[in-house]
Amino acid sequence: MTADPTLLQMKYARIISLLSKKADINEEKAMDLFYNSKTYYLISNGISDFHCLSDEYLAEEILREQQK
């Protein structure tokens, strides 16, 4: 299933904002973290309907990726 591109862009912005707050980094660094994550790859390629997961969950998943 694919999501509407406009809705995805809005979701990306919310996740980046959450990452910035949770990791206490500026939004530019959060954007870099997001766009270079496996989670972004899964969302943007419509794999397993990842875009249906909550913003909070996806932000936490990206932070978990970084810990590995």
Side-chain angles (χ1 to χ4, degrees):
M1 173 190 228
T2 57
D4 180 87
T6 303
L7 294 177
L8 273 181
Q9 291 300 316
M10 292 168 47
K11 186 168 194 71
Y12 296 164
R14 291 190 307 268
I15 294 169
I16 290 166
S17 180
L18 281 168
L19 283 171
S20 175
K21 291 174 187 167
K22 289 178 173 291
D24 196 25
I25 55 177
N26 66 39
E27 289 202 350
E28 185 176 334
K29 289 180 182 176
M31 195 179 306
D32 183 57
L33 187 66
F34 175 71
Y35 284 111
N36 289 301
S37 70
K38 180 179 177 186
T39 299
Y40 169 72
Y41 173 82
L42 295 171
I43 296 169
S44 65
N45 287 296
I47 298 172
S48 299
D49 291 335
F50 239 56
H51 64 279
C52 295
L53 298 172
S54 75
D55 301 341
E56 182 79 24
Y57 176 84
L58 293 169
E60 289 292 333
E61 183 64 23
I62 291 168
L63 292 174
R64 280 190 291 272
E65 283 179 36
Q66 296 304 307
Q67 293 174 351
K68 293 181 181 179

